[in-house]
Every structure is written in structure tokens, then in C-alpha cells.
Amino acid sequence: MAQELLDAAIGYVAANGLTDLSLRRLATELGTSHRMLSHHFGSKEGLWVAIIHEVEQRQLALVDQMVLDRSLSPADAMRAWWQHISHPSLWPNERLFFEVYGQALHRRAGTAALLDGIVEWWLAPISAAGKAQGLSPADARASARLALAVTRGLLLDLLATEDRAGVDAAMERWIALNTRSQGQMARKGSRPSVRPG
Amino acid sequence: MAQELLDAAIGYVAANGLTDLSLRRLATELGTSHRMLSHHFGSKEGLWVAIIHEVEQRQLALVDQMVLDRSLSPADAMRAWWQHISHPSLWPNERLFFEVYGQALHRRAGTAALLDGIVEWWLAPISAAGKAQGLSPADARASARLALAVTRGLLLDLLATEDRAGVDAAMERWIALNTRSQGQMARKGSRPSVRPG
DNA sequence: TCGCGCGTGTACCATGTGGTACATGCCTGC
DNA sequence: GCAGGCATGTACCACATGGTACACGCGCGA
């Protein structure tokens, strides 16, 4: 079945990377023949597109989870979100995300579509949380963008260094920066929020 | 000469990406033959290593520039640094950086060395600025790590969306977050600093 | 039972790859 | 002038790739 093949392919690609991977090598790793991959996905490009599309869907599923729990304080919500998104079980998917991201920056064929919502899709739910805390739409959008950058920047750091303690400390610094300035900024009539999750 | 070839190769690779690039295509783009590339760099892998190493050197040269000007306020220094690092003339190099970064996350052969100092080398100069503003070493290090994540996260955003205004607004949000909380945190005996440049 | 669509595997092809043997030219020191 | 080293180009090789023609077998409806 094509779906099983796709799942297995994503598993392998997430674990081992997609760059310079041939249909033949992938097929032997998956216990089939490259003929099958061509058959089910049309071409090599078709396989990559299917994989990337599927990973995108999984990422967006995470966004949905992200906005679920509103019972926590902003600081605790941030911590919970960070613990979730930075869990080692998600690292393979995130490595794949950054790998394809890096290639898409050069506008390679087949990767252009990946960039489409790569920031925009995340801004809506995150900035919704900001607006709920009283930010203006413009401020909420800028804060969401910043929070997204912090998350991705620290994730990139974590994947590269695997220095869990150091990256966690930076995230705590980020949380502190937001919560400490919150009272002050509230006094000025606006609040920073920036709840990345 | 090998150095000229390397410079030209970096120029092309920065502009067009390194993934799936063959020695032959690169050679014809450079107006030479793939024989020359093999001759000067030993092998294809050798060329990639030379390119990555050279790009690393250029990145580190930027770090040196980063800590030069101490006459500006932290906020203005941040703005100046961001204007510098986010200038479109540097985009090709940064695309290449993220591209190789993404591949290195999978520990591909020849890219492992790139990850070595990818965070650490930047922490020292940035946290030095933090310590100069009165932060404890641990706080300065966490702040530096956060500032680096913000810079890279927003850079990734900028390269993908090319939404200059939106990303600049997020950076202003970051600067505001730091400067506004500075007085408050100073009252608590520590200052956030986070001067990424 | 037959026919047929579909999934699967094998064998093959044209192409592009990295690497290299060999020839040529150019420049420098004697 | 010339001899030797070095850069460069041409031609070739063995190999891996993506794609495809073809064959086989299984399951299902008529």
C-alpha cells in the first residue's frame, strides 16, 4: 500500500536525511524495490513532495495541540509547549524540517511550496494567544513572529549541540524576559504576552 | 589558482545552493573543467569541506565586527547589528549556512565539523557584552544563547518570507522587550543586556 | 473458470557521475 | 634554449542513478 510505504519512507528519511538519497537506497532500506517507489509516487520528485507534504501536515497538527490548553499561566504554557516541541522523539522530524527548509531557501524545484506557510501558518494561532492577552493586532503579530523565531532558533541550537541544559536555560531566560516585563508593559497600556504555545 | 577557484565556487554555491551540485556543472558554471576541481581539491568531498571551512571563517570574521563598536546604546547596537547581518548582500552566504546546517544535523560525512562551534563560538563574544553590563556569567551565557536564537530564527524567517517589514517589527519587539525590562531587572540586581552585536 | 486489474519484482537502458590516464601548453630557473 | 614542474584540457572508465518494458502472481467479479 502506498500509505504504508509513505510512512516508512518518512521514518527513514527523518532518521537519515533526505539529501543525496536515491530511490534505490531508500527502497532497499524499506525492503522493497525502487520500482515500487516510482510506481506509487510517479517519480522521485513526487516522493519528495509527498513526504514533505505529509510532514507539513504533522507540523500543523502540532499547532492545533499548541492552542488547546488555556488553563495554564503564560509562563507555564510556554514551558509546556517548549517541553513538548523540544522532546527528543520529535527531533527526527525537526531535523528533516530544517534540512528541507535549508534547501528550499535556494528555491530548488519542488521545495518552493514548502516555504509558503512556513511562518504565516504559525502566526495566526500564536498571535491569537497574544491578542487574547490584550495586545493590538500589530503587536500580537510581531510578538508571535518573535516567539516563533525564538522557538526555531533554540530548536536549531538544541539539534546541533544537544546541550539540553544550556538551551533550556536560554528558554527560561526568554520566559523570564516576558513575564518580568509584563507588569511594566501592562502599566504602559500594552502587554507583551508572547505565548508561543 | 586554487584560491580563485574556491572564491568563485563559493560565490556560485552561495547563489545557487550546494545540494545535488555536481563537479561538472559547477566547473562549467565556473568556466573550467571538472578535472581542475578534482585536481585542486582532491575530491568532491574535499571541495565541499574547503567551501564550508571558508564560509565558517567568514562567519567568524563577522563575529569580530560584531563586538567592535561600543559607543552605541544597547538598543542601537542591536539595531545596527541586525541591519548589518540582515542586509540582502549577505543573504546568499546565510542561505548556504542554513543549507549546510540542515544537512549537518543528520551528521552527514564532511559536515560534522561545521556543528562544532556553531553555537559555542558565538556565545563568548555575545556573553562578554552581557557581562560588561553586569550580568552573572551564567545569566550572560543564557542571554547570549537566547539572542543568538533570536537572530538566527528571524534570519531564517527573513530568508524564507523576505518580509522585511514584518521581521523588522519582530526585531523591534525584541529590542523593546530587552530595554523595557532593563530598568525593572536592574532593580532586582541584574540586567538583561542581551546585546546581540 | 476465466479475465483482468493491480501490486510487485527483474532486467534493461540512457544518462550523468566522480575519478583518472594522458597530452598539451605555459612559465620559471639555469 | 631548454628542461622540468605545474596548471589545464580531453578522453575515457566503471558505476550509480531514475525511469521503464515486461513478466509473474494474487484476488475478485462475472
Side-chain angles (χ1 to χ4, degrees):
Chain A
M1 187 51 182
Q3 186 59 43
E4 301 166 9
L5 260 184
L6 182 57
D7 287 341
I10 289 179
Y12 180 81
V13 163
N16 299 90
L18 168 148
T19 304
D20 288 348
L21 183 60
S22 69
L23 288 182
R24 290 177 131 87
R25 260 176 43 219
L26 179 61
T28 56
E29 294 285 345
L30 265 49
T32 178
S33 65
H34 75 290
R35 174 69 182 79
M36 285 302 91
L37 299 177
S38 283
H39 175 68
H40 285 296
F41 302 101
S43 67
K44 185 182 183 181
E45 280 293 319
L47 213 201
W48 293 171
V49 169
I51 288 177
I52 291 170
H53 182 259
E54 180 75 16
V55 172
E56 267 184 327
Q57 295 303 317
R58 296 183 183 179
Q59 284 262 346
L60 287 179
L62 288 183
V63 185
D64 290 339
Q65 291 187 23
M66 184 178 72
V67 290
L68 278 184
D69 191 349
R70 294 197 173 278
S71 65
L72 299 174
S73 71
D76 285 339
M78 266 188 252
R79 263 185 217 100
W81 166 244
W82 172 248
Q83 280 183 9
H84 177 204
I85 198 70
S86 68
H87 193 273
S89 63
L90 291 181
W91 288 4
N93 282 350
E94 283 148 6
R95 285 196 197 96
L96 180 59
F97 171 80
F98 283 118
E99 182 183 11
V100 182
Y101 200 157
Q103 297 188 18
L105 291 181
H106 290 289
R107 268 70 181 171
R108 289 189 63 216
T111 61
L114 177 65
L115 292 182
D116 281 348
I118 207 160
V119 170
E120 200 60 39
W121 291 340
W122 292 72
L123 291 191
I126 302 178
S127 64
K131 275 182 262 188
Q133 295 183 1
L135 282 184
S136 75
D139 281 352
R141 190 176 164 83
S143 288
R145 201 150 199 161
L146 178 59
L148 185 62
V150 167
T151 304
R152 288 190 174 152
L154 287 182
L155 219 41
L156 211 50
D157 183 334
L158 180 62
L159 290 175
T161 67
E162 299 192 1
D163 178 3
R164 165 61 74 176
V167 176
D168 280 352
M171 176 52 78
E172 279 302 322
R173 187 88 194 163
W174 164 249
I175 294 173
L177 210 54
N178 280 279
T179 55
R180 280 177 188 168
S181 70
Q182 189 159 348
Q184 190 180 18
M185 295 182 78
R187 255 178 273 131
K188 299 185 55 166
S190 71
R191 293 156 75 199
S193 100
V194 187
R195 171 185 164 181
Chain B
M1 187 52 184
Q3 186 59 43
E4 302 167 8
L5 260 185
L6 182 57
D7 287 340
I10 289 179
Y12 179 82
V13 164
N16 299 90
L18 168 149
T19 305
D20 288 347
L21 184 60
S22 69
L23 288 182
R24 291 177 132 87
R25 258 175 45 217
L26 179 61
T28 55
E29 294 286 346
L30 266 48
T32 178
S33 67
H34 75 290
R35 176 68 183 80
M36 287 301 91
L37 300 176
S38 283
H39 175 65
H40 285 296
F41 303 100
S43 68
K44 185 183 183 180
E45 280 292 319
L47 214 201
W48 291 171
V49 169
I51 288 177
I52 291 170
H53 182 259
E54 180 74 16
V55 171
E56 268 185 328
Q57 295 303 317
R58 295 184 183 180
Q59 284 261 348
L60 287 180
L62 287 183
V63 185
D64 290 340
Q65 292 186 24
M66 186 180 69
V67 290
L68 278 184
D69 192 348
R70 295 195 173 280
S71 65
L72 300 173
S73 72
D76 285 340
M78 266 189 252
R79 264 185 216 99
W81 165 244
W82 172 247
Q83 281 183 10
H84 177 204
I85 198 69
S86 68
H87 192 275
S89 63
L90 291 180
W91 288 3
N93 282 349
E94 283 147 6
R95 285 196 198 95
L96 179 58
F97 170 81
F98 283 117
E99 183 183 10
V100 181
Y101 200 156
Q103 297 188 18
L105 292 181
H106 289 289
R107 268 68 181 174
R108 287 190 65 217
T111 60
L114 176 66
L115 292 182
D116 281 347
I118 208 161
V119 170
E120 200 60 39
W121 291 340
W122 292 73
L123 290 190
I126 302 178
S127 63
K131 274 182 259 185
Q133 295 183 2
L135 283 184
S136 74
D139 282 351
R141 188 177 165 83
S143 287
R145 201 151 200 162
L146 179 58
L148 185 61
V150 167
T151 303
R152 287 188 174 152
L154 286 182
L155 218 41
L156 211 51
D157 183 335
L158 180 62
L159 292 174
T161 66
E162 299 193 2
D163 178 1
R164 164 62 75 175
V167 176
D168 280 352
M171 175 52 77
E172 279 302 321
R173 188 87 194 166
W174 164 249
I175 295 173
L177 209 54
N178 280 279
T179 55
R180 280 175 188 169
S181 72
Q182 189 159 349
Q184 188 180 18
M185 296 183 78
R187 253 178 274 131
K188 299 186 53 166
S190 70
R191 295 156 73 199
S193 101
V194 188
R195 171 187 165 180

